[in-house]
Amino acid sequence: MAKQERAVRTRRAILEAAGAVFDEHGYTSTTIAMVLERADVTKGALYFHFPSKECLAQAVLDEQVPFGTVPSQPSKLQEIIDTTFVVAHRLLGNALLRGSVRLTVDQCAPPGVDHTGPFLQWAEHLMTLMGKAREQGELLPTVEPRDTVELLVGAFAGIQLMSRALTGRDDLGHRVSVLWGHILPGVAVPGLIGGLDAAPDRGARVLATMDADGH
Amino acid sequence: MAKQERAVRTRRAILEAAGAVFDEHGYTSTTIAMVLERADVTKGALYFHFPSKECLAQAVLDEQVPFGTVPSQPSKLQEIIDTTFVVAHRLLGNALLRGSVRLTVDQCAPPGVDHTGPFLQWAEHLMTLMGKAREQGELLPTVEPRDTVELLVGAFAGIQLMSRALTGRDDLGHRVSVLWGHILPGVAVPGLIGGLDAAPDRGARVLATMDADGH
């Protein structure tokens, strides 16, 4: 294995371990020693990639939005819907994503860590898709894309939090489906709604097609 | 002042101090000493009312839903709308409510503290109003009251969190207004929507009428 490839793998192993520890213990209670033990790397390697706990937290936060990547769809509203379901489904199995989300929603904002980042990055990511949806005539003329996008990001943050508290996120697919059932009538042109798929198992099905395509 | 009245006031002073400290520092970093200093009561008085930090946190959590009390309205959907705006507005000025909300949404669940309580209590409180709204013919036949209510509670939790992170909750009234703008078309019968008030300053106006009525 080339030296650079090894460095990339080590960095990823540390991030995944850090995500898991932040998810279980939160920012304040997490120590570098806990991450070291989980990642099974040397102290030198960890400090080479992440000189402090703050750097580690920032890197875990920066990993969040890439988890929302989904295959392109003819309807851009469907792509936005797919993003929410894929993230919801990945939260069940991916500790790095869970740790990143916990750092975003927990109120502690240690100096040097910007936990507003994921809110803004999600909003920008979805704004691009909303812009295309508008161009394609998918949106009702009353829709203000910025308002709708920020509502989706904020509401999703709270819905996953309530689902985690009440059912360990078991019912998150259902809750995301309910969100879309309530929001689509005020967002999508009537002719489009019947063709959109916002069923609770949408995330699992989209991820299955991604695995089949070798994503 | 009678002994019992004094005890009630002392208990309230402790709760308000604890809410402020939990809001600023979170559960893990809060100490009884910090609450003592803020409340200006004796150590004996504090331990008489709250034998542990867990008890204090539980009591702060239990104070949350009473902050959603609003005047009765002919439309029960309007009362539900008012509840969200009044809580949003009170979050700006009330540290006990802010501390209670932080304990609910922060992921740390110390043993002995049930932070699912507020989610369930809000849902029950709003379910009562939704039942009346249905009886009065305010809801579309497609509405499943439990789904709508849990969506509102979860979405509100996330919306206030995003607003706090991005603007210190300055734009929370606007965000709650956007939530209702998106949800009402899928919930309320068309004839009702025009008469419902979900403007960003609704919370301030409802609270002004409550003050005038001596609530």
Side-chain angles (χ1 to χ4, degrees):
Chain A
M1 195 163 29
K3 196 175 166 187
Q4 201 186 338
E5 192 188 336
R6 213 160 47 224
V8 169
R9 287 196 189 195
T10 301
R11 185 175 187 279
R12 189 72 189 178
I14 297 166
L15 277 180
E16 286 177 359
V21 176
F22 282 132
D23 174 44
E24 288 164 33
H25 301 278
Y27 181 80
T28 311
S29 305
T30 290
T31 64
I32 294 278
M34 289 156 83
V35 177
L36 265 179
E37 200 187 320
R38 183 85 58 121
D40 196 22
V41 297
T42 65
K43 207 168 176 172
L46 193 148
Y47 280 104
F48 171 75
H49 288 284
F50 306 103
S52 68
K53 189 167 89 167
E54 286 81 1
C55 292
L56 205 46
Q58 192 63 60
V60 166
L61 284 166
D62 291 342
E63 288 296 321
Q64 193 174 137
V65 176
F67 282 107
T69 307
V70 296
S72 182
Q73 299 287 344
S75 158
K76 296 301 147 185
L77 262 182
Q78 184 66 59
E79 246 180 270
I80 296 174
I81 293 168
D82 288 354
T83 304
T84 61
F85 278 104
V86 160
V87 171
H89 196 79
R90 282 181 163 148
L91 272 169
L92 297 174
N94 192 294
L96 172 52
L97 177 58
R98 278 200 302 273
S100 185
V101 167
R102 175 163 185 182
L103 289 178
T104 311
V105 301
D106 271 8
Q107 196 162 323
C108 56
V113 179
D114 173 20
H115 74 156
T116 67
F119 286 118
L120 300 172
Q121 290 159 23
W122 281 119
E124 286 323 303
H125 180 69
L126 297 183
M127 274 301 280
T128 308
L129 294 170
M130 279 292 262
K132 292 181 187 163
R134 167 132 283 167
E135 280 171 24
Q136 295 186 178
E138 298 184 39
L139 306 183
L140 292 171
T142 46
V143 172
E144 296 278 354
R146 171 70 56 184
D147 278 349
T148 301
V149 154
E150 296 211 359
L151 169 63
L152 285 171
V153 175
F156 184 91
I159 284 165
Q160 67 82 28
L161 202 145
M162 184 165 171
S163 173
R164 179 187 55 68
L166 298 184
T167 68
R169 294 201 182 93
D170 271 355
D171 65 3
L172 185 51
H174 171 71
R175 287 177 189 272
V176 174
S177 183
V178 167
L179 169 68
W180 283 111
H182 281 76
I183 279 183
L184 283 176
V187 170
V189 292
L192 183 65
I193 294 184
L196 295 173
D197 181 356
D201 66 340
R202 177 72 188 168
R205 284 184 285 113
V206 171
L207 282 168
T209 65
M210 292 174 78
D211 289 344
D213 293 348
H215 283 274
Chain B
M1 195 160 30
K3 197 175 167 187
Q4 200 186 338
E5 194 188 335
R6 215 161 44 225
V8 168
R9 287 194 188 195
T10 301
R11 185 175 187 280
R12 189 73 188 177
I14 297 167
L15 278 180
E16 286 178 357
V21 177
F22 283 131
D23 174 44
E24 288 165 33
H25 301 278
Y27 182 80
T28 311
S29 304
T30 290
T31 64
I32 293 279
M34 288 155 85
V35 177
L36 264 180
E37 200 186 321
R38 183 84 57 121
D40 197 22
V41 298
T42 66
K43 206 168 176 171
L46 193 148
Y47 280 103
F48 172 76
H49 288 285
F50 307 103
S52 68
K53 189 167 89 165
E54 286 81 0
C55 292
L56 205 45
Q58 192 63 60
V60 167
L61 283 166
D62 291 342
E63 287 296 321
Q64 193 174 137
V65 176
F67 281 107
T69 307
V70 296
S72 181
Q73 299 288 344
S75 157
K76 295 302 148 184
L77 262 182
Q78 184 66 61
E79 246 181 271
I80 296 174
I81 293 168
D82 288 354
T83 304
T84 61
F85 279 104
V86 160
V87 172
H89 196 79
R90 281 180 164 149
L91 273 169
L92 298 174
N94 192 296
L96 172 52
L97 178 57
R98 279 200 302 274
S100 184
V101 168
R102 174 164 186 181
L103 289 178
T104 310
V105 302
D106 271 9
Q107 197 163 324
C108 55
V113 179
D114 173 20
H115 75 154
T116 68
F119 287 117
L120 300 171
Q121 289 159 23
W122 281 118
E124 286 321 304
H125 180 68
L126 297 182
M127 274 301 280
T128 309
L129 293 169
M130 280 292 264
K132 291 181 187 164
R134 168 133 283 167
E135 279 171 27
Q136 294 185 180
E138 298 185 40
L139 307 182
L140 292 171
T142 46
V143 171
E144 296 278 354
R146 170 70 57 184
D147 279 349
T148 302
V149 154
E150 296 210 0
L151 169 62
L152 285 171
V153 175
F156 184 91
I159 285 165
Q160 67 82 27
L161 202 145
M162 184 165 173
S163 173
R164 179 186 54 69
L166 298 184
T167 67
R169 294 202 182 93
D170 271 355
D171 64 5
L172 185 50
H174 171 70
R175 288 178 189 270
V176 174
S177 183
V178 167
L179 170 68
W180 283 111
H182 281 75
I183 280 182
L184 283 176
V187 170
V189 292
L192 184 64
I193 295 184
L196 295 173
D197 180 357
D201 66 340
R202 176 72 187 167
R205 283 184 285 114
V206 171
L207 282 168
T209 66
M210 291 174 78
D211 289 344
D213 293 349
H215 282 274

